[in-house]
mmCIF file of all heavy atoms in Angstrom:
data_model
loop_
_atom_site.group_PDB
_atom_site.id
_atom_site.type_symbol
_atom_site.label_atom_id
_atom_site.label_comp_id
_atom_site.label_asym_id
_atom_site.label_seq_id
_atom_site.Cartn_x
_atom_site.Cartn_y
_atom_site.Cartn_z
ATOM 1 N N LEU A 298 60.705 -56.022 -11.891
ATOM 2 C CA LEU A 298 60.663 -56.843 -12.998
ATOM 3 C C LEU A 298 60.612 -55.969 -14.222
ATOM 4 O O LEU A 298 59.586 -55.136 -14.359
ATOM 5 C CB LEU A 298 59.591 -57.826 -13.034
ATOM 6 C CG LEU A 298 59.565 -58.771 -11.747
ATOM 7 C CD1 LEU A 298 58.328 -59.738 -11.758
ATOM 8 C CD2 LEU A 298 60.765 -59.637 -11.686
ATOM 9 N N VAL A 299 61.482 -56.163 -15.267
ATOM 10 C CA VAL A 299 61.417 -55.325 -16.445
ATOM 11 C C VAL A 299 61.364 -56.177 -17.666
ATOM 12 O O VAL A 299 62.348 -56.918 -17.953
ATOM 13 C CB VAL A 299 62.621 -54.347 -16.452
ATOM 14 C CG1 VAL A 299 62.507 -53.477 -17.716
ATOM 15 C CG2 VAL A 299 62.636 -53.426 -15.259
ATOM 16 N N GLU A 300 60.232 -56.176 -18.370
ATOM 17 C CA GLU A 300 60.124 -57.027 -19.605
ATOM 18 C C GLU A 300 60.792 -56.295 -20.714
ATOM 19 O O GLU A 300 60.962 -55.115 -20.878
ATOM 20 C CB GLU A 300 58.654 -57.280 -19.931
ATOM 21 C CG GLU A 300 57.927 -58.072 -18.927
ATOM 22 C CD GLU A 300 56.967 -57.319 -18.075
ATOM 23 O OE1 GLU A 300 57.074 -56.063 -18.008
ATOM 24 O OE2 GLU A 300 55.996 -57.863 -17.493
ATOM 25 N N SER A 301 61.334 -57.121 -21.682
ATOM 26 C CA SER A 301 61.847 -56.556 -22.917
ATOM 27 C C SER A 301 60.660 -56.175 -23.831
ATOM 28 O O SER A 301 59.437 -56.484 -23.551
ATOM 29 C CB SER A 301 62.552 -57.691 -23.654
ATOM 30 O OG SER A 301 61.766 -58.749 -23.981
ATOM 31 N N ALA A 302 61.009 -55.374 -24.818
ATOM 32 C CA ALA A 302 59.967 -54.875 -25.724
ATOM 33 C C ALA A 302 59.337 -56.024 -26.416
ATOM 34 O O ALA A 302 59.997 -56.954 -26.825
ATOM 35 C CB ALA A 302 60.581 -53.904 -26.677
ATOM 36 N N GLY A 303 58.028 -56.051 -26.611
ATOM 37 C CA GLY A 303 57.332 -57.089 -27.433
ATOM 38 C C GLY A 303 57.532 -56.762 -28.811
ATOM 39 O O GLY A 303 58.630 -56.667 -29.370
ATOM 40 N N GLY A 304 56.336 -56.509 -29.503
ATOM 41 C CA GLY A 304 56.534 -56.080 -30.913
ATOM 42 C C GLY A 304 55.433 -56.654 -31.789
ATOM 43 O O GLY A 304 54.481 -57.270 -31.309
ATOM 44 N N LEU A 305 55.562 -56.405 -33.021
ATOM 45 C CA LEU A 305 54.616 -56.937 -34.010
ATOM 46 C C LEU A 305 55.232 -58.073 -34.905
ATOM 47 O O LEU A 305 56.338 -57.984 -35.316
ATOM 48 C CB LEU A 305 54.232 -55.747 -35.003
ATOM 49 C CG LEU A 305 53.371 -56.078 -36.159
ATOM 50 C CD1 LEU A 305 51.986 -56.449 -35.747
ATOM 51 C CD2 LEU A 305 53.277 -54.797 -37.127
ATOM 52 N N VAL A 306 54.423 -59.124 -34.943
ATOM 53 C CA VAL A 306 55.012 -60.327 -35.668
ATOM 54 C C VAL A 306 53.759 -60.922 -36.437
ATOM 55 O O VAL A 306 52.643 -60.768 -36.090
ATOM 56 C CB VAL A 306 55.455 -61.312 -34.618
ATOM 57 C CG1 VAL A 306 54.475 -61.871 -33.762
ATOM 58 C CG2 VAL A 306 56.182 -62.504 -35.404
ATOM 59 N N GLN A 307 54.149 -61.496 -37.553
ATOM 60 C CA GLN A 307 53.161 -62.070 -38.497
ATOM 61 C C GLN A 307 52.767 -63.469 -37.875
ATOM 62 O O GLN A 307 53.476 -64.175 -37.179
ATOM 63 C CB GLN A 307 53.650 -62.273 -39.873
ATOM 64 C CG GLN A 307 53.875 -61.006 -40.604
ATOM 65 C CD GLN A 307 54.179 -61.183 -42.067
ATOM 66 O OE1 GLN A 307 54.823 -62.213 -42.481
ATOM 67 N NE2 GLN A 307 53.765 -60.327 -42.867
ATOM 68 N N ALA A 308 51.567 -63.943 -38.213
ATOM 69 C CA ALA A 308 51.047 -65.125 -37.789
ATOM 70 C C ALA A 308 51.947 -66.205 -38.249
ATOM 71 O O ALA A 308 52.511 -66.140 -39.404
ATOM 72 C CB ALA A 308 49.724 -65.457 -38.286
ATOM 73 N N GLY A 309 52.296 -67.217 -37.358
ATOM 74 C CA GLY A 309 53.223 -68.240 -37.679
ATOM 75 C C GLY A 309 54.576 -67.918 -37.303
ATOM 76 O O GLY A 309 55.553 -68.845 -37.303
ATOM 77 N N GLY A 310 54.894 -66.795 -36.906
ATOM 78 C CA GLY A 310 56.253 -66.301 -36.539
ATOM 79 C C GLY A 310 56.626 -66.609 -35.100
ATOM 80 O O GLY A 310 55.684 -67.262 -34.405
ATOM 81 N N SER A 311 57.765 -66.255 -34.701
ATOM 82 C CA SER A 311 58.165 -66.481 -33.329
ATOM 83 C C SER A 311 58.639 -65.228 -32.684
ATOM 84 O O SER A 311 59.086 -64.241 -33.307
ATOM 85 C CB SER A 311 59.301 -67.495 -33.292
ATOM 86 O OG SER A 311 58.909 -68.795 -33.800
ATOM 87 N N LEU A 312 58.703 -65.224 -31.346
ATOM 88 C CA LEU A 312 59.133 -64.059 -30.599
ATOM 89 C C LEU A 312 59.556 -64.563 -29.267
ATOM 90 O O LEU A 312 58.961 -65.462 -28.687
ATOM 91 C CB LEU A 312 58.027 -63.062 -30.430
ATOM 92 C CG LEU A 312 58.306 -61.677 -29.833
ATOM 93 C CD1 LEU A 312 59.295 -60.886 -30.862
ATOM 94 C CD2 LEU A 312 57.080 -60.906 -29.621
ATOM 95 N N ARG A 313 60.713 -64.007 -28.747
ATOM 96 C CA ARG A 313 61.141 -64.334 -27.413
ATOM 97 C C ARG A 313 61.059 -63.159 -26.491
ATOM 98 O O ARG A 313 61.709 -62.050 -26.819
ATOM 99 C CB ARG A 313 62.602 -64.869 -27.357
ATOM 100 C CG ARG A 313 62.986 -65.403 -26.040
ATOM 101 C CD ARG A 313 64.291 -66.044 -26.027
ATOM 102 N NE ARG A 313 65.343 -65.099 -25.849
ATOM 103 C CZ ARG A 313 66.618 -65.282 -25.440
ATOM 104 N NH1 ARG A 313 66.963 -66.565 -25.059
ATOM 105 N NH2 ARG A 313 67.470 -64.345 -25.440
ATOM 106 N N LEU A 314 60.385 -63.235 -25.366
ATOM 107 C CA LEU A 314 60.274 -62.148 -24.393
ATOM 108 C C LEU A 314 61.352 -62.472 -23.292
ATOM 109 O O LEU A 314 61.552 -63.653 -23.029
ATOM 110 C CB LEU A 314 58.972 -62.112 -23.866
ATOM 111 C CG LEU A 314 57.805 -61.705 -24.761
ATOM 112 C CD1 LEU A 314 56.434 -61.729 -24.005
ATOM 113 C CD2 LEU A 314 58.022 -60.445 -25.476
ATOM 114 N N SER A 315 61.841 -61.446 -22.657
ATOM 115 C CA SER A 315 62.664 -61.669 -21.537
ATOM 116 C C SER A 315 62.209 -60.700 -20.411
ATOM 117 O O SER A 315 61.573 -59.707 -20.693
ATOM 118 C CB SER A 315 64.195 -61.413 -21.828
ATOM 119 O OG SER A 315 64.371 -60.109 -22.259
ATOM 120 N N CYS A 316 62.567 -61.074 -19.212
ATOM 121 C CA CYS A 316 62.150 -60.314 -18.100
ATOM 122 C C CYS A 316 63.355 -60.338 -17.093
ATOM 123 O O CYS A 316 63.691 -61.478 -16.560
ATOM 124 C CB CYS A 316 60.927 -60.902 -17.397
ATOM 125 S SG CYS A 316 60.471 -60.054 -15.824
ATOM 126 N N ALA A 317 63.926 -59.169 -16.896
ATOM 127 C CA ALA A 317 65.054 -59.079 -16.020
ATOM 128 C C ALA A 317 64.594 -58.606 -14.603
ATOM 129 O O ALA A 317 63.772 -57.652 -14.472
ATOM 130 C CB ALA A 317 66.026 -58.042 -16.593
ATOM 131 N N ALA A 318 65.101 -59.261 -13.620
ATOM 132 C CA ALA A 318 64.758 -58.978 -12.186
ATOM 133 C C ALA A 318 65.882 -58.391 -11.464
ATOM 134 O O ALA A 318 67.061 -58.768 -11.626
ATOM 135 C CB ALA A 318 64.275 -60.273 -11.528
ATOM 136 N N SER A 319 65.563 -57.438 -10.621
ATOM 137 C CA SER A 319 66.549 -56.873 -9.676
ATOM 138 C C SER A 319 66.658 -57.788 -8.484
ATOM 139 O O SER A 319 65.803 -58.540 -8.183
ATOM 140 C CB SER A 319 66.158 -55.418 -9.280
ATOM 141 O OG SER A 319 64.997 -55.436 -8.557
ATOM 142 N N GLY A 320 67.636 -57.431 -7.582
ATOM 143 C CA GLY A 320 67.722 -58.153 -6.328
ATOM 144 C C GLY A 320 68.615 -59.378 -6.308
ATOM 145 O O GLY A 320 68.994 -59.911 -7.445
ATOM 146 N N ARG A 321 68.974 -59.815 -5.225
ATOM 147 C CA ARG A 321 69.878 -60.921 -5.071
ATOM 148 C C ARG A 321 69.260 -62.328 -4.780
ATOM 149 O O ARG A 321 69.997 -63.391 -4.683
ATOM 150 C CB ARG A 321 70.875 -60.625 -3.871
ATOM 151 C CG ARG A 321 71.669 -59.359 -4.054
ATOM 152 C CD ARG A 321 72.550 -59.107 -2.838
ATOM 153 N NE ARG A 321 73.371 -57.937 -2.997
ATOM 154 C CZ ARG A 321 74.231 -57.449 -2.101
ATOM 155 N NH1 ARG A 321 74.409 -58.127 -0.989
ATOM 156 N NH2 ARG A 321 74.867 -56.359 -2.351
ATOM 157 N N THR A 322 67.981 -62.253 -4.663
ATOM 158 C CA THR A 322 67.217 -63.541 -4.330
ATOM 159 C C THR A 322 66.505 -64.140 -5.546
ATOM 160 O O THR A 322 65.500 -64.842 -5.222
ATOM 161 C CB THR A 322 66.321 -63.267 -3.071
ATOM 162 O OG1 THR A 322 65.366 -62.318 -3.439
ATOM 163 C CG2 THR A 322 67.160 -62.919 -1.929
ATOM 164 N N PHE A 323 66.797 -63.751 -6.699
ATOM 165 C CA PHE A 323 66.054 -64.206 -7.883
ATOM 166 C C PHE A 323 65.798 -65.636 -7.854
ATOM 167 O O PHE A 323 64.764 -66.162 -8.189
ATOM 168 C CB PHE A 323 66.781 -63.729 -9.163
ATOM 169 C CG PHE A 323 66.090 -64.225 -10.349
ATOM 170 C CD1 PHE A 323 65.007 -63.555 -10.930
ATOM 171 C CD2 PHE A 323 66.632 -65.240 -11.088
ATOM 172 C CE1 PHE A 323 64.406 -63.980 -12.076
ATOM 173 C CE2 PHE A 323 66.037 -65.711 -12.314
ATOM 174 C CZ PHE A 323 64.961 -65.033 -12.763
ATOM 175 N N SER A 324 66.876 -66.414 -7.579
ATOM 176 C CA SER A 324 66.827 -67.880 -7.721
ATOM 177 C C SER A 324 65.757 -68.454 -6.729
ATOM 178 O O SER A 324 65.255 -69.626 -6.946
ATOM 179 C CB SER A 324 68.141 -68.571 -7.361
ATOM 180 O OG SER A 324 68.581 -68.235 -6.146
ATOM 181 N N ARG A 325 65.389 -67.731 -5.792
ATOM 182 C CA ARG A 325 64.416 -68.267 -4.839
ATOM 183 C C ARG A 325 62.927 -67.984 -5.218
ATOM 184 O O ARG A 325 62.019 -68.458 -4.442
ATOM 185 C CB ARG A 325 64.687 -67.671 -3.424
ATOM 186 C CG ARG A 325 66.047 -67.990 -2.855
ATOM 187 C CD ARG A 325 66.408 -67.350 -1.617
ATOM 188 N NE ARG A 325 65.467 -67.937 -0.481
ATOM 189 C CZ ARG A 325 65.629 -67.534 0.786
ATOM 190 N NH1 ARG A 325 66.398 -66.567 1.062
ATOM 191 N NH2 ARG A 325 64.804 -68.060 1.694
ATOM 192 N N TYR A 326 62.704 -67.225 -6.263
ATOM 193 C CA TYR A 326 61.448 -67.013 -6.742
ATOM 194 C C TYR A 326 61.008 -67.963 -7.845
ATOM 195 O O TYR A 326 61.806 -68.165 -8.794
ATOM 196 C CB TYR A 326 61.334 -65.548 -7.341
ATOM 197 C CG TYR A 326 61.296 -64.453 -6.220
ATOM 198 C CD1 TYR A 326 62.470 -63.988 -5.645
ATOM 199 C CD2 TYR A 326 60.072 -63.989 -5.767
ATOM 200 C CE1 TYR A 326 62.389 -63.092 -4.682
ATOM 201 C CE2 TYR A 326 59.990 -62.941 -4.854
ATOM 202 C CZ TYR A 326 61.205 -62.504 -4.265
ATOM 203 O OH TYR A 326 61.140 -61.611 -3.355
ATOM 204 N N ALA A 327 59.767 -68.434 -7.786
ATOM 205 C CA ALA A 327 59.128 -69.002 -8.954
ATOM 206 C C ALA A 327 58.876 -67.803 -9.918
ATOM 207 O O ALA A 327 58.414 -66.753 -9.438
ATOM 208 C CB ALA A 327 57.947 -69.773 -8.660
ATOM 209 N N MET A 328 59.021 -67.962 -11.260
ATOM 210 C CA MET A 328 58.734 -66.918 -12.163
ATOM 211 C C MET A 328 57.725 -67.459 -13.166
ATOM 212 O O MET A 328 57.679 -68.627 -13.564
ATOM 213 C CB MET A 328 60.051 -66.584 -12.906
ATOM 214 C CG MET A 328 61.181 -66.051 -12.051
ATOM 215 S SD MET A 328 60.769 -64.549 -11.193
ATOM 216 C CE MET A 328 60.594 -63.392 -12.583
ATOM 217 N N GLY A 329 56.864 -66.545 -13.633
ATOM 218 C CA GLY A 329 55.826 -66.891 -14.583
ATOM 219 C C GLY A 329 55.514 -65.821 -15.618
ATOM 220 O O GLY A 329 55.957 -64.696 -15.436
ATOM 221 N N TRP A 330 54.701 -66.244 -16.495
ATOM 222 C CA TRP A 330 54.217 -65.298 -17.548
ATOM 223 C C TRP A 330 52.728 -65.446 -17.602
ATOM 224 O O TRP A 330 52.160 -66.428 -17.590
ATOM 225 C CB TRP A 330 54.801 -65.648 -18.913
ATOM 226 C CG TRP A 330 56.226 -65.303 -19.043
ATOM 227 C CD1 TRP A 330 57.275 -66.146 -18.799
ATOM 228 C CD2 TRP A 330 56.851 -63.998 -19.432
ATOM 229 N NE1 TRP A 330 58.492 -65.448 -19.125
ATOM 230 C CE2 TRP A 330 58.243 -64.209 -19.451
ATOM 231 C CE3 TRP A 330 56.268 -62.841 -19.827
ATOM 232 C CZ2 TRP A 330 59.080 -63.187 -19.766
ATOM 233 C CZ3 TRP A 330 57.113 -61.742 -20.097
ATOM 234 C CH2 TRP A 330 58.474 -61.913 -20.155
ATOM 235 N N PHE A 331 52.169 -64.164 -17.757
ATOM 236 C CA PHE A 331 50.723 -64.087 -17.941
ATOM 237 C C PHE A 331 50.410 -63.158 -19.142
ATOM 238 O O PHE A 331 51.306 -62.525 -19.606
ATOM 239 C CB PHE A 331 50.070 -63.379 -16.675
ATOM 240 C CG PHE A 331 50.141 -64.261 -15.374
ATOM 241 C CD1 PHE A 331 51.379 -64.496 -14.765
ATOM 242 C CD2 PHE A 331 48.956 -64.885 -14.943
ATOM 243 C CE1 PHE A 331 51.404 -65.215 -13.625
ATOM 244 C CE2 PHE A 331 49.076 -65.662 -13.736
ATOM 245 C CZ PHE A 331 50.285 -65.784 -13.098
ATOM 246 N N ARG A 332 49.213 -63.114 -19.562
ATOM 247 C CA ARG A 332 48.859 -62.149 -20.663
ATOM 248 C C ARG A 332 47.395 -61.608 -20.414
ATOM 249 O O ARG A 332 46.558 -62.331 -19.767
ATOM 250 C CB ARG A 332 49.021 -62.737 -21.987
ATOM 251 C CG ARG A 332 47.982 -63.790 -22.293
ATOM 252 C CD ARG A 332 48.320 -64.325 -23.762
ATOM 253 N NE ARG A 332 47.378 -65.528 -24.064
ATOM 254 C CZ ARG A 332 47.555 -66.275 -25.176
ATOM 255 N NH1 ARG A 332 48.637 -66.088 -25.909
ATOM 256 N NH2 ARG A 332 46.622 -67.154 -25.393
ATOM 257 N N GLN A 333 47.138 -60.553 -21.013
ATOM 258 C CA GLN A 333 45.816 -59.937 -20.954
ATOM 259 C C GLN A 333 45.430 -59.334 -22.273
ATOM 260 O O GLN A 333 46.125 -58.407 -22.701
ATOM 261 C CB GLN A 333 45.621 -58.898 -19.738
ATOM 262 C CG GLN A 333 44.329 -58.428 -19.599
ATOM 263 C CD GLN A 333 44.112 -57.716 -18.294
ATOM 264 O OE1 GLN A 333 45.122 -57.236 -17.597
ATOM 265 N NE2 GLN A 333 42.946 -57.587 -17.772
ATOM 266 N N ALA A 334 44.516 -59.914 -22.881
ATOM 267 C CA ALA A 334 43.994 -59.358 -24.171
ATOM 268 C C ALA A 334 42.864 -58.315 -23.895
ATOM 269 O O ALA A 334 42.215 -58.369 -22.844
ATOM 270 C CB ALA A 334 43.424 -60.450 -24.988
ATOM 271 N N PRO A 335 42.640 -57.501 -24.818
ATOM 272 C CA PRO A 335 41.600 -56.402 -24.672
ATOM 273 C C PRO A 335 40.249 -57.069 -24.336
ATOM 274 O O PRO A 335 39.816 -57.998 -25.081
ATOM 275 C CB PRO A 335 41.598 -55.637 -25.998
ATOM 276 C CG PRO A 335 42.847 -55.888 -26.596
ATOM 277 C CD PRO A 335 43.329 -57.255 -26.098
ATOM 278 N N GLY A 336 39.653 -56.495 -23.205
ATOM 279 C CA GLY A 336 38.408 -56.977 -22.819
ATOM 280 C C GLY A 336 38.346 -58.292 -22.153
ATOM 281 O O GLY A 336 37.275 -58.824 -21.889
ATOM 282 N N LYS A 337 39.489 -58.870 -21.869
ATOM 283 C CA LYS A 337 39.563 -60.147 -21.232
ATOM 284 C C LYS A 337 40.227 -60.099 -19.908
ATOM 285 O O LYS A 337 41.086 -59.183 -19.662
ATOM 286 C CB LYS A 337 40.199 -61.221 -22.215
ATOM 287 C CG LYS A 337 39.411 -61.532 -23.477
ATOM 288 C CD LYS A 337 40.001 -62.673 -24.258
ATOM 289 C CE LYS A 337 39.222 -62.927 -25.462
ATOM 290 N NZ LYS A 337 39.774 -64.086 -26.216
ATOM 291 N N GLU A 338 40.128 -61.124 -19.127
ATOM 292 C CA GLU A 338 40.918 -61.270 -17.810
ATOM 293 C C GLU A 338 42.349 -61.607 -18.099
ATOM 294 O O GLU A 338 42.624 -62.321 -19.126
ATOM 295 C CB GLU A 338 40.182 -62.204 -16.871
ATOM 296 C CG GLU A 338 38.777 -61.785 -16.495
ATOM 297 C CD GLU A 338 38.166 -62.742 -15.450
ATOM 298 O OE1 GLU A 338 38.769 -63.878 -15.244
ATOM 299 O OE2 GLU A 338 37.146 -62.322 -14.933
ATOM 300 N N ARG A 339 43.182 -61.352 -17.200
ATOM 301 C CA ARG A 339 44.524 -61.746 -17.209
ATOM 302 C C ARG A 339 44.522 -63.281 -17.032
ATOM 303 O O ARG A 339 43.929 -63.879 -16.216
ATOM 304 C CB ARG A 339 45.355 -61.059 -16.187
ATOM 305 C CG ARG A 339 46.860 -61.224 -16.330
ATOM 306 C CD ARG A 339 47.664 -60.395 -15.376
ATOM 307 N NE ARG A 339 47.341 -58.969 -15.588
ATOM 308 C CZ ARG A 339 48.105 -58.014 -14.966
ATOM 309 N NH1 ARG A 339 49.077 -58.275 -14.192
ATOM 310 N NH2 ARG A 339 47.855 -56.714 -15.235
ATOM 311 N N GLU A 340 45.336 -64.002 -17.871
ATOM 312 C CA GLU A 340 45.472 -65.384 -17.824
ATOM 313 C C GLU A 340 46.893 -65.873 -17.686
ATOM 314 O O GLU A 340 47.746 -65.290 -18.209
ATOM 315 C CB GLU A 340 44.851 -65.992 -19.125
ATOM 316 C CG GLU A 340 45.564 -65.755 -20.369
ATOM 317 C CD GLU A 340 45.051 -66.564 -21.613
ATOM 318 O OE1 GLU A 340 44.544 -67.611 -21.360
ATOM 319 O OE2 GLU A 340 45.242 -66.110 -22.707
ATOM 320 N N PHE A 341 46.918 -67.035 -16.980
ATOM 321 C CA PHE A 341 48.154 -67.659 -16.687
ATOM 322 C C PHE A 341 48.695 -68.372 -18.099
ATOM 323 O O PHE A 341 47.862 -68.908 -18.726
ATOM 324 C CB PHE A 341 48.032 -68.681 -15.580
ATOM 325 C CG PHE A 341 49.210 -69.608 -15.469
ATOM 326 C CD1 PHE A 341 50.328 -69.278 -14.753
ATOM 327 C CD2 PHE A 341 49.135 -70.893 -16.029
ATOM 328 C CE1 PHE A 341 51.443 -70.071 -14.675
ATOM 329 C CE2 PHE A 341 50.307 -71.777 -15.886
ATOM 330 C CZ PHE A 341 51.358 -71.332 -15.247
ATOM 331 N N LEU A 342 50.017 -68.272 -18.322
ATOM 332 C CA LEU A 342 50.587 -68.961 -19.403
ATOM 333 C C LEU A 342 51.555 -70.058 -18.953
ATOM 334 O O LEU A 342 51.511 -71.231 -19.402
ATOM 335 C CB LEU A 342 51.314 -68.004 -20.338
ATOM 336 C CG LEU A 342 50.518 -66.855 -20.973
ATOM 337 C CD1 LEU A 342 51.333 -65.873 -21.725
ATOM 338 C CD2 LEU A 342 49.424 -67.465 -21.834
ATOM 339 N N ALA A 343 52.539 -69.688 -18.254
ATOM 340 C CA ALA A 343 53.640 -70.644 -17.950
ATOM 341 C C ALA A 343 54.373 -70.153 -16.630
ATOM 342 O O ALA A 343 54.437 -68.948 -16.361
ATOM 343 C CB ALA A 343 54.575 -70.751 -19.072
ATOM 344 N N ALA A 344 55.007 -71.181 -15.972
ATOM 345 C CA ALA A 344 55.775 -70.787 -14.742
ATOM 346 C C ALA A 344 56.940 -71.810 -14.650
ATOM 347 O O ALA A 344 56.837 -72.896 -15.162
ATOM 348 C CB ALA A 344 54.955 -70.852 -13.556
#
């Protein structure tokens, strides 16, 4: 799994992340996004 570059954005702005997967069975995987802020645990966002 290879995520696109994130970046710096101002508050109120928008950003789209992408994640490209290798392999032929991508459609059989549930896919999700998580994040981890400094000093915090990794948290679930969406799937």
Side-chain angles (χ1 to χ4, degrees):
L298 304 175
V299 179
E300 293 106 339
S301 60
L305 174 65
V306 63
Q307 288 188 332
S311 297
L312 189 65
R313 189 177 80 158
L314 301 178
S315 62
C316 173
S319 65
R321 299 179 180 179
T322 58
F323 175 77
S324 65
R325 299 177 68 183
Y326 283 83
M328 300 297 296
W330 288 94
F331 294 73
R332 70 184 178 190
Q333 188 166 17
K337 295 187 176 181
E338 294 185 350
R339 192 170 298 190
E340 65 171 331
F341 168 82
L342 298 175

